[in-house]
Every structure is written in C-alpha cells, then in structure tokens.
Amino acid sequence: MATIATHSIGPFIKPIEAEMGWSRTAIQASLFFGQGVSAIGVVLTGVLLERMPMRWLALLGMAGTGVGFVLVSQANSLVLFYVGYATAALVGSGCGFIVWSRAIAARFDRRRGLALAIALSGTGASGIILPPLLVWTIATYGWRTGYITLAAFPLLIALPIIFLLFRPHENMAKPKGGTAASADLPPPVRAIEIFLNYRYWVILVSVFCVYFSVVGIIPNFIPALTDGGITAERAAIAQGILALSMIIGRLLVGYLSDRFWAPAIGALFLTPPAIGCFLLMMEPTFPVAIFAAILIGAATGAELDLMAFLTSRYFKPHMFARTYSYLYAAVALAGGTAPMAFSAVYDQTGDYGVGFAAAAVMFLIGGPCLLLLGKYSEQKQAVHSAR
C-alpha cells in the first residue's frame, strides 16, 4: 500500500487538478490518509501477528488495498477520495512491510540482509512500472481508469500469488529442528521495554528523517521536473530511474549489511541524497535530474530495509513484530504528512525549492545518526556467553 500510493500519485496530480479543480495540497492530502491511517493499521497488525497467521493478514491486506483504489476511482468529492485511500491504508496494513519483513526474518539469519533486500525490492519494481504505465493510461483513458489499473495489481496479481504460495514460518523464536514447548514460549512484549531502549529512538529518528524526505520528494518529483521544463515522458523516465536505483541500492545495502556493520552502510547510502536535493533546487537538466534520482533512489531503497534488518539485530526475536510496528507507525505519519507539506510549500511559494532544502537537511541528520547504534545486541550476547 505504502509503495503503490507513493509511487503512483505523481502522474495523477495535474490531471485531477485540471478536471476536479482540487489544489495539489488537497490531492496529496490523500497520502496523509494513505500513510497516516496506516499508522493505526500497522500497530494493529503488529498485535494481530501475535494472534493470527501472517498469510491471512496478507490476503486481507491485499484485498483491502485493491478495494480502496476502486473506491478512489469513483470519487466525485474529496471526502470519497480520502475514504478510498484510508480504506486501502487501514485494511492494507495487513500486507505491509511488517508482514514480509517478519516472514523473512523468521526464515533467514546469516543472509538476512540480502533476503530482506530481495523480498522488498518489489517496491522498486512498482516504482519502475507504475509511473510510465500511469502516464500512458491517464493520457489515453483518464485518471479514473488509472486507479482501476492500480487496483488490478493487488487484486489480480498479488492476491492469487499469496493464496497459492505464501507459507511463512510463524514463530521467530522457535528453535531450529524442534517445536517450542509451552515453557519456552517468549514472555509477553511490553511497550516500555521497547521505549526505554535508546536504539529504538536512534532508528526512529533516522528512518523518520529519511522517509519524510523521500516520501515528500517522490510524489512531487514528476510535477517538479515538468514545472522546470522537462517533458512528462522524460520525467516519468527519471522517476523510473529513481525506482531502479531503489532496487540496486536495496540489494547492495542488504548484501553489504550481511558482511559489515549495517549502521555504517546505512550512513553511507542515506547521507549523499542531500546532494541530489540541492541539484533539484536548481531546475536541473534531464541528465542532472537522472543523477539526483539515482542518489535519492538508493536511499529510498535502503531505509525500510535497514529498519527491518536493524530491528532484527538490536531487539530480541519475539519483540520484532511489536517494535517494527511502533517504528513503522511513526514513519507512516511522516509519510502521510510529507507530500502534503511539500505541496503546501509549492502552493505558497510557486516552486519546490524550500521542500528540497528541508529534505537535504533531514538526509544530513538521518544518515549519520545511525552511527550511534553501537554493536549488535546479539554480538554482545555472544561475547557474554563466551565469557
């Protein structure tokens, strides 16, 4: 849900603005419902993951995402427009990052970083496919058909695949080669245990800053480039390059995180996009826009992947779902407000320069702060056991 909403809104903005007369801020407020409401949904999903199978949550989530976008396609008012996004977000949380990340973390250990990267690279694939597909669909059949096209992805592709093939391990704390006895069940997770761990707040600050930046940039990327004189087709290509960089960046970060200290890898990928933001402030040419897209895309591919990996390394296995859900809830709020904030700045100033400058500052905070995390908790436990 988060990926489809964020990567798809750009091609819709100008056509909806022209037909319905809604401002860009009002249109992108849909992402507040598409991301902000998921803050509630993901916490609920984190609780439900301790009580029901991941597979059923994923099926329900995909169905909800598709139905939500069908509702959006029928909207004749902003209220119904927002209701559709909210439906997709709330119900769609069941097929969000927390489910796929938990399933991968339960099945992989030594190659967990790469496994997460491969699994979550689908977000980059959607970013490559959706912008040019939607630009063509909207130009040919209108924006309402564009939303029907979006609904087809979860309903006609993902839902059957999950039903037929998704069979995850449910218990992350289950010992290899055996069944956990009731005496070995992990203790209930208390929120205070998570909130008193300073690493939770370090990861939160980092991902919040980076996610606010990228989710503010991506929906406004095509409008910003076209406002600067780049054609819609070329702008869609640039956003496709951004999405391709997401996949490459995600795979590189996953591969390197299995071999080196992940916080340093994160800082290496999450800090340079500040340069891309400064380039976008200068009404870039098409080649410069491509370079900026590569820098920003690499960070976009790394942030949620790193959040899952770092959560699995710094927190005990039975705490993963709840910790991840709290992290993602705060991040979802950032994702819901960032596009609206960028558009509000545009409505007030007539360009995106202030938004890109703010994003640059947040990249400069979000990348380096990961270096405060210290050694993995499991490394400390191993040292303690050896002693």
Side-chain angles (χ1 to χ4, degrees), residues 217-218 220-221 224-225 228 230 238 242 273-286 288-293 296 342 351-357 359 363:
I217 291 170
I218 290 174
N220 294 287
F221 193 67
L225 294 183
I230 295 175
L242 187 152
I275 300 172
C277 293
F278 286 121
L279 292 175
L280 291 173
M281 293 169 60
M282 303 174 186
E283 292 190 0
T285 61
F286 181 60
V288 173
I290 293 293
F291 180 65
I296 294 167
F342 269 64
D351 66 48
Y352 292 99
V354 175
F356 288 133
F363 278 123

PDB file of all heavy atoms in Angstrom, residues 217-218 220-221 224-225 228 230 238 242 273-286 288-293 296 342 351-357 359 363:
ATOM      1  N   ILE A 217       9.527  13.810  -1.603  1.00  0.00           N
ATOM      2  CA  ILE A 217      10.098  14.049  -2.937  1.00  0.00           C
ATOM      3  C   ILE A 217       9.388  13.243  -4.019  1.00  0.00           C
ATOM      4  O   ILE A 217       9.019  13.779  -5.072  1.00  0.00           O
ATOM      5  CB  ILE A 217      11.604  13.713  -2.934  1.00  0.00           C
ATOM      6  CG1 ILE A 217      12.376  14.736  -2.093  1.00  0.00           C
ATOM      7  CG2 ILE A 217      12.153  13.682  -4.363  1.00  0.00           C
ATOM      8  CD1 ILE A 217      13.813  14.346  -1.842  1.00  0.00           C
ATOM      9  N   ILE A 218       9.189  11.940  -3.787  1.00  0.00           N
ATOM     10  CA  ILE A 218       8.730  11.050  -4.860  1.00  0.00           C
ATOM     11  C   ILE A 218       7.397  11.494  -5.479  1.00  0.00           C
ATOM     12  O   ILE A 218       7.285  11.593  -6.710  1.00  0.00           O
ATOM     13  CB  ILE A 218       8.662   9.592  -4.359  1.00  0.00           C
ATOM     14  CG1 ILE A 218      10.080   9.053  -4.144  1.00  0.00           C
ATOM     15  CG2 ILE A 218       7.924   8.713  -5.370  1.00  0.00           C
ATOM     16  CD1 ILE A 218      10.127   7.680  -3.504  1.00  0.00           C
ATOM     17  N   ASN A 220       6.171  14.357  -5.662  1.00  0.00           N
ATOM     18  CA  ASN A 220       6.333  15.669  -6.284  1.00  0.00           C
ATOM     19  C   ASN A 220       7.441  15.697  -7.333  1.00  0.00           C
ATOM     20  O   ASN A 220       7.706  16.759  -7.921  1.00  0.00           O
ATOM     21  CB  ASN A 220       6.636  16.714  -5.204  1.00  0.00           C
ATOM     22  CG  ASN A 220       5.463  16.920  -4.277  1.00  0.00           C
ATOM     23  OD1 ASN A 220       4.463  17.522  -4.652  1.00  0.00           O
ATOM     24  ND2 ASN A 220       5.570  16.417  -3.056  1.00  0.00           N
ATOM     25  N   PHE A 221       8.067  14.566  -7.561  1.00  0.00           N
ATOM     26  CA  PHE A 221       9.219  14.511  -8.464  1.00  0.00           C
ATOM     27  C   PHE A 221       8.813  14.845  -9.894  1.00  0.00           C
ATOM     28  O   PHE A 221       9.417  15.708 -10.549  1.00  0.00           O
ATOM     29  CB  PHE A 221       9.855  13.117  -8.381  1.00  0.00           C
ATOM     30  CG  PHE A 221      11.215  13.026  -9.008  1.00  0.00           C
ATOM     31  CD1 PHE A 221      12.294  13.699  -8.464  1.00  0.00           C
ATOM     32  CD2 PHE A 221      11.422  12.257 -10.143  1.00  0.00           C
ATOM     33  CE1 PHE A 221      13.559  13.619  -9.039  1.00  0.00           C
ATOM     34  CE2 PHE A 221      12.680  12.159 -10.722  1.00  0.00           C
ATOM     35  CZ  PHE A 221      13.749  12.840 -10.172  1.00  0.00           C
ATOM     36  N   ALA A 224       7.597  18.497 -10.186  1.00  0.00           N
ATOM     37  CA  ALA A 224       8.715  19.435 -10.062  1.00  0.00           C
ATOM     38  C   ALA A 224       9.527  19.489 -11.353  1.00  0.00           C
ATOM     39  O   ALA A 224       9.934  20.573 -11.811  1.00  0.00           O
ATOM     40  CB  ALA A 224       9.614  19.036  -8.891  1.00  0.00           C
ATOM     41  N   LEU A 225       9.771  18.341 -11.964  1.00  0.00           N
ATOM     42  CA  LEU A 225      10.547  18.304 -13.203  1.00  0.00           C
ATOM     43  C   LEU A 225       9.781  18.925 -14.364  1.00  0.00           C
ATOM     44  O   LEU A 225      10.358  19.657 -15.174  1.00  0.00           O
ATOM     45  CB  LEU A 225      10.949  16.866 -13.540  1.00  0.00           C
ATOM     46  CG  LEU A 225      11.925  16.172 -12.572  1.00  0.00           C
ATOM     47  CD1 LEU A 225      12.280  14.782 -13.089  1.00  0.00           C
ATOM     48  CD2 LEU A 225      13.184  16.995 -12.354  1.00  0.00           C
ATOM     49  N   GLY A 228       9.794  22.540 -14.289  1.00  0.00           N
ATOM     50  CA  GLY A 228      11.081  23.079 -14.686  1.00  0.00           C
ATOM     51  C   GLY A 228      11.366  22.960 -16.181  1.00  0.00           C
ATOM     52  O   GLY A 228      12.477  23.278 -16.622  1.00  0.00           O
ATOM     53  N   ILE A 230      10.978  20.008 -18.136  1.00  0.00           N
ATOM     54  CA  ILE A 230      11.213  18.644 -18.620  1.00  0.00           C
ATOM     55  C   ILE A 230       9.865  18.028 -18.984  1.00  0.00           C
ATOM     56  O   ILE A 230       8.878  18.191 -18.256  1.00  0.00           O
ATOM     57  CB  ILE A 230      11.937  17.810 -17.543  1.00  0.00           C
ATOM     58  CG1 ILE A 230      13.342  18.378 -17.296  1.00  0.00           C
ATOM     59  CG2 ILE A 230      12.025  16.344 -17.939  1.00  0.00           C
ATOM     60  CD1 ILE A 230      14.101  17.705 -16.169  1.00  0.00           C
ATOM     61  N   ALA A 238      12.759   9.556 -15.566  1.00  0.00           N
ATOM     62  CA  ALA A 238      13.614   9.888 -14.421  1.00  0.00           C
ATOM     63  C   ALA A 238      13.105   9.222 -13.162  1.00  0.00           C
ATOM     64  O   ALA A 238      13.891   8.697 -12.354  1.00  0.00           O
ATOM     65  CB  ALA A 238      13.671  11.408 -14.234  1.00  0.00           C
ATOM     66  N   LEU A 242      14.844   6.442 -10.721  1.00  0.00           N
ATOM     67  CA  LEU A 242      14.837   6.515  -9.255  1.00  0.00           C
ATOM     68  C   LEU A 242      14.426   5.170  -8.668  1.00  0.00           C
ATOM     69  O   LEU A 242      15.041   4.669  -7.718  1.00  0.00           O
ATOM     70  CB  LEU A 242      13.894   7.632  -8.799  1.00  0.00           C
ATOM     71  CG  LEU A 242      13.867   8.000  -7.306  1.00  0.00           C
ATOM     72  CD1 LEU A 242      13.477   9.467  -7.127  1.00  0.00           C
ATOM     73  CD2 LEU A 242      12.897   7.124  -6.528  1.00  0.00           C
ATOM     74  N   PRO A 273      22.071  11.616  -0.619  1.00  0.00           N
ATOM     75  CA  PRO A 273      20.909  12.209  -1.296  1.00  0.00           C
ATOM     76  C   PRO A 273      20.714  13.698  -1.018  1.00  0.00           C
ATOM     77  O   PRO A 273      19.989  14.369  -1.765  1.00  0.00           O
ATOM     78  CB  PRO A 273      19.731  11.396  -0.743  1.00  0.00           C
ATOM     79  CG  PRO A 273      20.317  10.077  -0.412  1.00  0.00           C
ATOM     80  CD  PRO A 273      21.689  10.376   0.092  1.00  0.00           C
ATOM     81  N   ALA A 274      21.357  14.214   0.031  1.00  0.00           N
ATOM     82  CA  ALA A 274      21.304  15.663   0.269  1.00  0.00           C
ATOM     83  C   ALA A 274      21.833  16.418  -0.949  1.00  0.00           C
ATOM     84  O   ALA A 274      21.320  17.492  -1.307  1.00  0.00           O
ATOM     85  CB  ALA A 274      22.122  16.020   1.517  1.00  0.00           C
ATOM     86  N   ILE A 275      22.847  15.847  -1.618  1.00  0.00           N
ATOM     87  CA  ILE A 275      23.382  16.466  -2.841  1.00  0.00           C
ATOM     88  C   ILE A 275      22.318  16.492  -3.925  1.00  0.00           C
ATOM     89  O   ILE A 275      22.133  17.482  -4.640  1.00  0.00           O
ATOM     90  CB  ILE A 275      24.635  15.703  -3.323  1.00  0.00           C
ATOM     91  CG1 ILE A 275      25.720  15.731  -2.250  1.00  0.00           C
ATOM     92  CG2 ILE A 275      25.142  16.276  -4.638  1.00  0.00           C
ATOM     93  CD1 ILE A 275      26.907  14.834  -2.561  1.00  0.00           C
ATOM     94  N   GLY A 276      21.583  15.364  -4.062  1.00  0.00           N
ATOM     95  CA  GLY A 276      20.520  15.299  -5.057  1.00  0.00           C
ATOM     96  C   GLY A 276      19.450  16.354  -4.820  1.00  0.00           C
ATOM     97  O   GLY A 276      18.926  16.946  -5.776  1.00  0.00           O
ATOM     98  N   CYS A 277      19.128  16.609  -3.540  1.00  0.00           N
ATOM     99  CA  CYS A 277      18.124  17.633  -3.219  1.00  0.00           C
ATOM    100  C   CYS A 277      18.598  19.018  -3.660  1.00  0.00           C
ATOM    101  O   CYS A 277      17.824  19.806  -4.220  1.00  0.00           O
ATOM    102  CB  CYS A 277      17.830  17.623  -1.725  1.00  0.00           C
ATOM    103  SG  CYS A 277      17.002  16.131  -1.158  1.00  0.00           S
ATOM    104  N   PHE A 278      19.865  19.321  -3.410  1.00  0.00           N
ATOM    105  CA  PHE A 278      20.397  20.621  -3.823  1.00  0.00           C
ATOM    106  C   PHE A 278      20.378  20.763  -5.346  1.00  0.00           C
ATOM    107  O   PHE A 278      20.104  21.844  -5.885  1.00  0.00           O
ATOM    108  CB  PHE A 278      21.816  20.816  -3.284  1.00  0.00           C
ATOM    109  CG  PHE A 278      21.859  21.111  -1.814  1.00  0.00           C
ATOM    110  CD1 PHE A 278      22.559  20.286  -0.948  1.00  0.00           C
ATOM    111  CD2 PHE A 278      21.187  22.204  -1.279  1.00  0.00           C
ATOM    112  CE1 PHE A 278      22.592  20.549   0.421  1.00  0.00           C
ATOM    113  CE2 PHE A 278      21.218  22.486   0.075  1.00  0.00           C
ATOM    114  CZ  PHE A 278      21.920  21.658   0.934  1.00  0.00           C
ATOM    115  N   LEU A 279      20.648  19.669  -6.057  1.00  0.00           N
ATOM    116  CA  LEU A 279      20.604  19.711  -7.525  1.00  0.00           C
ATOM    117  C   LEU A 279      19.189  19.996  -8.028  1.00  0.00           C
ATOM    118  O   LEU A 279      18.991  20.738  -8.991  1.00  0.00           O
ATOM    119  CB  LEU A 279      21.113  18.393  -8.097  1.00  0.00           C
ATOM    120  CG  LEU A 279      22.601  18.088  -7.901  1.00  0.00           C
ATOM    121  CD1 LEU A 279      22.924  16.685  -8.405  1.00  0.00           C
ATOM    122  CD2 LEU A 279      23.469  19.119  -8.611  1.00  0.00           C
ATOM    123  N   LEU A 280      18.186  19.405  -7.363  1.00  0.00           N
ATOM    124  CA  LEU A 280      16.806  19.598  -7.796  1.00  0.00           C
ATOM    125  C   LEU A 280      16.309  21.015  -7.532  1.00  0.00           C
ATOM    126  O   LEU A 280      15.328  21.450  -8.141  1.00  0.00           O
ATOM    127  CB  LEU A 280      15.898  18.587  -7.089  1.00  0.00           C
ATOM    128  CG  LEU A 280      16.079  17.127  -7.500  1.00  0.00           C
ATOM    129  CD1 LEU A 280      15.252  16.209  -6.623  1.00  0.00           C
ATOM    130  CD2 LEU A 280      15.712  16.930  -8.977  1.00  0.00           C
ATOM    131  N   MET A 281      16.976  21.717  -6.634  1.00  0.00           N
ATOM    132  CA  MET A 281      16.593  23.108  -6.353  1.00  0.00           C
ATOM    133  C   MET A 281      16.962  24.046  -7.496  1.00  0.00           C
ATOM    134  O   MET A 281      16.487  25.187  -7.549  1.00  0.00           O
ATOM    135  CB  MET A 281      17.271  23.581  -5.057  1.00  0.00           C
ATOM    136  CG  MET A 281      16.787  22.876  -3.806  1.00  0.00           C
ATOM    137  SD  MET A 281      17.833  23.240  -2.363  1.00  0.00           S
ATOM    138  CE  MET A 281      17.656  25.033  -2.265  1.00  0.00           C
ATOM    139  N   MET A 282      17.790  23.588  -8.433  1.00  0.00           N
ATOM    140  CA  MET A 282      18.343  24.474  -9.461  1.00  0.00           C
ATOM    141  C   MET A 282      17.696  24.294 -10.835  1.00  0.00           C
ATOM    142  O   MET A 282      18.306  24.594 -11.856  1.00  0.00           O
ATOM    143  CB  MET A 282      19.855  24.213  -9.584  1.00  0.00           C
ATOM    144  CG  MET A 282      20.608  24.386  -8.283  1.00  0.00           C
ATOM    145  SD  MET A 282      22.356  23.909  -8.457  1.00  0.00           S
ATOM    146  CE  MET A 282      22.905  24.031  -6.742  1.00  0.00           C
ATOM    147  N   GLU A 283      16.458  23.786 -10.897  1.00  0.00           N
ATOM    148  CA  GLU A 283      15.795  23.499 -12.176  1.00  0.00           C
ATOM    149  C   GLU A 283      16.737  22.709 -13.084  1.00  0.00           C
ATOM    150  O   GLU A 283      17.211  23.193 -14.119  1.00  0.00           O
ATOM    151  CB  GLU A 283      15.336  24.791 -12.864  1.00  0.00           C
ATOM    152  CG  GLU A 283      14.215  25.501 -12.127  1.00  0.00           C
ATOM    153  CD  GLU A 283      13.601  26.627 -12.931  1.00  0.00           C
ATOM    154  OE1 GLU A 283      14.059  26.861 -14.072  1.00  0.00           O
ATOM    155  OE2 GLU A 283      12.670  27.257 -12.432  1.00  0.00           O
ATOM    156  N   PRO A 284      17.001  21.465 -12.726  1.00  0.00           N
ATOM    157  CA  PRO A 284      18.046  20.687 -13.406  1.00  0.00           C
ATOM    158  C   PRO A 284      17.676  20.314 -14.838  1.00  0.00           C
ATOM    159  O   PRO A 284      16.506  20.239 -15.204  1.00  0.00           O
ATOM    160  CB  PRO A 284      18.144  19.425 -12.545  1.00  0.00           C
ATOM    161  CG  PRO A 284      16.780  19.276 -11.953  1.00  0.00           C
ATOM    162  CD  PRO A 284      16.318  20.682 -11.690  1.00  0.00           C
ATOM    163  N   THR A 285      18.709  20.071 -15.634  1.00  0.00           N
ATOM    164  CA  THR A 285      18.520  19.469 -16.953  1.00  0.00           C
ATOM    165  C   THR A 285      18.173  17.996 -16.755  1.00  0.00           C
ATOM    166  O   THR A 285      18.274  17.456 -15.639  1.00  0.00           O
ATOM    167  CB  THR A 285      19.805  19.581 -17.784  1.00  0.00           C
ATOM    168  OG1 THR A 285      20.858  18.872 -17.104  1.00  0.00           O
ATOM    169  CG2 THR A 285      20.201  21.034 -17.973  1.00  0.00           C
ATOM    170  N   PHE A 286      17.790  17.336 -17.814  1.00  0.00           N
ATOM    171  CA  PHE A 286      17.402  15.926 -17.717  1.00  0.00           C
ATOM    172  C   PHE A 286      18.534  15.046 -17.178  1.00  0.00           C
ATOM    173  O   PHE A 286      18.305  14.243 -16.264  1.00  0.00           O
ATOM    174  CB  PHE A 286      16.925  15.434 -19.085  1.00  0.00           C
ATOM    175  CG  PHE A 286      16.474  13.999 -19.096  1.00  0.00           C
ATOM    176  CD1 PHE A 286      15.433  13.572 -18.300  1.00  0.00           C
ATOM    177  CD2 PHE A 286      17.116  13.066 -19.914  1.00  0.00           C
ATOM    178  CE1 PHE A 286      15.014  12.242 -18.312  1.00  0.00           C
ATOM    179  CE2 PHE A 286      16.709  11.745 -19.937  1.00  0.00           C
ATOM    180  CZ  PHE A 286      15.656  11.334 -19.126  1.00  0.00           C
ATOM    181  N   VAL A 288      21.031  15.869 -15.205  1.00  0.00           N
ATOM    182  CA  VAL A 288      21.231  16.190 -13.788  1.00  0.00           C
ATOM    183  C   VAL A 288      20.095  15.606 -12.962  1.00  0.00           C
ATOM    184  O   VAL A 288      20.305  15.098 -11.846  1.00  0.00           O
ATOM    185  CB  VAL A 288      21.333  17.716 -13.579  1.00  0.00           C
ATOM    186  CG1 VAL A 288      21.373  18.059 -12.091  1.00  0.00           C
ATOM    187  CG2 VAL A 288      22.578  18.252 -14.274  1.00  0.00           C
ATOM    188  N   ALA A 289      18.880  15.656 -13.487  1.00  0.00           N
ATOM    189  CA  ALA A 289      17.738  15.061 -12.790  1.00  0.00           C
ATOM    190  C   ALA A 289      17.927  13.555 -12.624  1.00  0.00           C
ATOM    191  O   ALA A 289      17.561  12.981 -11.586  1.00  0.00           O
ATOM    192  CB  ALA A 289      16.446  15.348 -13.552  1.00  0.00           C
ATOM    193  N   ILE A 290      18.506  12.904 -13.624  1.00  0.00           N
ATOM    194  CA  ILE A 290      18.781  11.468 -13.530  1.00  0.00           C
ATOM    195  C   ILE A 290      19.780  11.191 -12.408  1.00  0.00           C
ATOM    196  O   ILE A 290      19.600  10.259 -11.605  1.00  0.00           O
ATOM    197  CB  ILE A 290      19.335  10.932 -14.877  1.00  0.00           C
ATOM    198  CG1 ILE A 290      18.260  11.004 -15.959  1.00  0.00           C
ATOM    199  CG2 ILE A 290      19.851   9.510 -14.720  1.00  0.00           C
ATOM    200  CD1 ILE A 290      17.087  10.088 -15.749  1.00  0.00           C
ATOM    201  N   PHE A 291      20.841  12.010 -12.318  1.00  0.00           N
ATOM    202  CA  PHE A 291      21.843  11.828 -11.262  1.00  0.00           C
ATOM    203  C   PHE A 291      21.206  12.014  -9.883  1.00  0.00           C
ATOM    204  O   PHE A 291      21.449  11.224  -8.960  1.00  0.00           O
ATOM    205  CB  PHE A 291      22.995  12.817 -11.459  1.00  0.00           C
ATOM    206  CG  PHE A 291      24.078  12.716 -10.420  1.00  0.00           C
ATOM    207  CD1 PHE A 291      24.846  11.572 -10.315  1.00  0.00           C
ATOM    208  CD2 PHE A 291      24.310  13.764  -9.539  1.00  0.00           C
ATOM    209  CE1 PHE A 291      25.849  11.465  -9.346  1.00  0.00           C
ATOM    210  CE2 PHE A 291      25.307  13.678  -8.573  1.00  0.00           C
ATOM    211  CZ  PHE A 291      26.074  12.521  -8.478  1.00  0.00           C
ATOM    212  N   ALA A 292      20.382  13.040  -9.738  1.00  0.00           N
ATOM    213  CA  ALA A 292      19.690  13.268  -8.465  1.00  0.00           C
ATOM    214  C   ALA A 292      18.770  12.087  -8.142  1.00  0.00           C
ATOM    215  O   ALA A 292      18.682  11.649  -6.989  1.00  0.00           O
ATOM    216  CB  ALA A 292      18.888  14.563  -8.526  1.00  0.00           C
ATOM    217  N   ALA A 293      18.094  11.564  -9.169  1.00  0.00           N
ATOM    218  CA  ALA A 293      17.196  10.425  -8.971  1.00  0.00           C
ATOM    219  C   ALA A 293      17.955   9.200  -8.474  1.00  0.00           C
ATOM    220  O   ALA A 293      17.461   8.449  -7.631  1.00  0.00           O
ATOM    221  CB  ALA A 293      16.465  10.109 -10.270  1.00  0.00           C
ATOM    222  N   ILE A 296      18.824   9.746  -4.696  1.00  0.00           N
ATOM    223  CA  ILE A 296      17.638   9.661  -3.845  1.00  0.00           C
ATOM    224  C   ILE A 296      17.053   8.247  -3.877  1.00  0.00           C
ATOM    225  O   ILE A 296      16.612   7.721  -2.853  1.00  0.00           O
ATOM    226  CB  ILE A 296      16.595  10.710  -4.298  1.00  0.00           C
ATOM    227  CG1 ILE A 296      17.146  12.112  -4.051  1.00  0.00           C
ATOM    228  CG2 ILE A 296      15.276  10.517  -3.559  1.00  0.00           C
ATOM    229  CD1 ILE A 296      16.364  13.211  -4.731  1.00  0.00           C
ATOM    230  N   PHE A 342       5.132  19.296   1.280  1.00  0.00           N
ATOM    231  CA  PHE A 342       5.813  19.727   0.059  1.00  0.00           C
ATOM    232  C   PHE A 342       4.857  20.509  -0.847  1.00  0.00           C
ATOM    233  O   PHE A 342       5.212  21.541  -1.414  1.00  0.00           O
ATOM    234  CB  PHE A 342       6.370  18.516  -0.695  1.00  0.00           C
ATOM    235  CG  PHE A 342       7.777  18.155  -0.333  1.00  0.00           C
ATOM    236  CD1 PHE A 342       8.093  17.739   0.957  1.00  0.00           C
ATOM    237  CD2 PHE A 342       8.792  18.218  -1.262  1.00  0.00           C
ATOM    238  CE1 PHE A 342       9.387  17.396   1.306  1.00  0.00           C
ATOM    239  CE2 PHE A 342      10.098  17.886  -0.929  1.00  0.00           C
ATOM    240  CZ  PHE A 342      10.396  17.476   0.362  1.00  0.00           C
ATOM    241  N   ASP A 351       7.170  27.125  -6.111  1.00  0.00           N
ATOM    242  CA  ASP A 351       8.173  26.124  -6.505  1.00  0.00           C
ATOM    243  C   ASP A 351       8.460  25.206  -5.316  1.00  0.00           C
ATOM    244  O   ASP A 351       7.941  25.394  -4.216  1.00  0.00           O
ATOM    245  CB  ASP A 351       9.451  26.761  -7.041  1.00  0.00           C
ATOM    246  CG  ASP A 351      10.207  27.546  -5.976  1.00  0.00           C
ATOM    247  OD1 ASP A 351      10.414  27.010  -4.874  1.00  0.00           O
ATOM    248  OD2 ASP A 351      10.599  28.703  -6.249  1.00  0.00           O
ATOM    249  N   TYR A 352       9.299  24.190  -5.580  1.00  0.00           N
ATOM    250  CA  TYR A 352       9.568  23.165  -4.576  1.00  0.00           C
ATOM    251  C   TYR A 352      10.911  23.365  -3.867  1.00  0.00           C
ATOM    252  O   TYR A 352      11.373  22.482  -3.147  1.00  0.00           O
ATOM    253  CB  TYR A 352       9.566  21.779  -5.237  1.00  0.00           C
ATOM    254  CG  TYR A 352       8.205  21.343  -5.734  1.00  0.00           C
ATOM    255  CD1 TYR A 352       7.854  21.483  -7.082  1.00  0.00           C
ATOM    256  CD2 TYR A 352       7.269  20.795  -4.866  1.00  0.00           C
ATOM    257  CE1 TYR A 352       6.619  21.080  -7.550  1.00  0.00           C
ATOM    258  CE2 TYR A 352       6.021  20.386  -5.327  1.00  0.00           C
ATOM    259  CZ  TYR A 352       5.702  20.532  -6.659  1.00  0.00           C
ATOM    260  OH  TYR A 352       4.462  20.127  -7.108  1.00  0.00           O
ATOM    261  N   GLY A 353      11.562  24.525  -4.075  1.00  0.00           N
ATOM    262  CA  GLY A 353      12.907  24.737  -3.550  1.00  0.00           C
ATOM    263  C   GLY A 353      13.011  24.584  -2.048  1.00  0.00           C
ATOM    264  O   GLY A 353      13.932  23.926  -1.528  1.00  0.00           O
ATOM    265  N   VAL A 354      12.074  25.164  -1.295  1.00  0.00           N
ATOM    266  CA  VAL A 354      12.126  25.074   0.169  1.00  0.00           C
ATOM    267  C   VAL A 354      11.962  23.626   0.632  1.00  0.00           C
ATOM    268  O   VAL A 354      12.640  23.175   1.559  1.00  0.00           O
ATOM    269  CB  VAL A 354      11.042  25.975   0.797  1.00  0.00           C
ATOM    270  CG1 VAL A 354      11.006  25.787   2.318  1.00  0.00           C
ATOM    271  CG2 VAL A 354      11.285  27.434   0.454  1.00  0.00           C
ATOM    272  N   GLY A 355      11.075  22.899  -0.035  1.00  0.00           N
ATOM    273  CA  GLY A 355      10.879  21.492   0.316  1.00  0.00           C
ATOM    274  C   GLY A 355      12.130  20.667   0.088  1.00  0.00           C
ATOM    275  O   GLY A 355      12.514  19.839   0.931  1.00  0.00           O
ATOM    276  N   PHE A 356      12.791  20.879  -1.050  1.00  0.00           N
ATOM    277  CA  PHE A 356      14.022  20.142  -1.327  1.00  0.00           C
ATOM    278  C   PHE A 356      15.131  20.516  -0.333  1.00  0.00           C
ATOM    279  O   PHE A 356      15.929  19.665   0.072  1.00  0.00           O
ATOM    280  CB  PHE A 356      14.494  20.400  -2.759  1.00  0.00           C
ATOM    281  CG  PHE A 356      13.647  19.734  -3.807  1.00  0.00           C
ATOM    282  CD1 PHE A 356      13.207  20.439  -4.922  1.00  0.00           C
ATOM    283  CD2 PHE A 356      13.280  18.409  -3.677  1.00  0.00           C
ATOM    284  CE1 PHE A 356      12.422  19.830  -5.894  1.00  0.00           C
ATOM    285  CE2 PHE A 356      12.493  17.786  -4.639  1.00  0.00           C
ATOM    286  CZ  PHE A 356      12.057  18.500  -5.749  1.00  0.00           C
ATOM    287  N   ALA A 357      15.184  21.790   0.072  1.00  0.00           N
ATOM    288  CA  ALA A 357      16.187  22.214   1.053  1.00  0.00           C
ATOM    289  C   ALA A 357      15.949  21.538   2.399  1.00  0.00           C
ATOM    290  O   ALA A 357      16.889  21.070   3.057  1.00  0.00           O
ATOM    291  CB  ALA A 357      16.157  23.741   1.208  1.00  0.00           C
ATOM    292  N   ALA A 359      14.438  18.685   2.873  1.00  0.00           N
ATOM    293  CA  ALA A 359      14.774  17.268   2.706  1.00  0.00           C
ATOM    294  C   ALA A 359      16.282  17.053   2.800  1.00  0.00           C
ATOM    295  O   ALA A 359      16.741  16.070   3.401  1.00  0.00           O
ATOM    296  CB  ALA A 359      14.253  16.762   1.363  1.00  0.00           C
ATOM    297  N   PHE A 363      18.187  14.504   5.389  1.00  0.00           N
ATOM    298  CA  PHE A 363      19.126  13.444   4.985  1.00  0.00           C
ATOM    299  C   PHE A 363      20.433  13.573   5.774  1.00  0.00           C
ATOM    300  O   PHE A 363      21.026  12.554   6.169  1.00  0.00           O
ATOM    301  CB  PHE A 363      19.428  13.538   3.491  1.00  0.00           C
ATOM    302  CG  PHE A 363      18.384  12.910   2.608  1.00  0.00           C
ATOM    303  CD1 PHE A 363      17.743  13.656   1.625  1.00  0.00           C
ATOM    304  CD2 PHE A 363      18.050  11.570   2.749  1.00  0.00           C
ATOM    305  CE1 PHE A 363      16.789  13.088   0.805  1.00  0.00           C
ATOM    306  CE2 PHE A 363      17.095  10.983   1.926  1.00  0.00           C
ATOM    307  CZ  PHE A 363      16.448  11.758   0.954  1.00  0.00           C
TER     308      PHE A 363
END
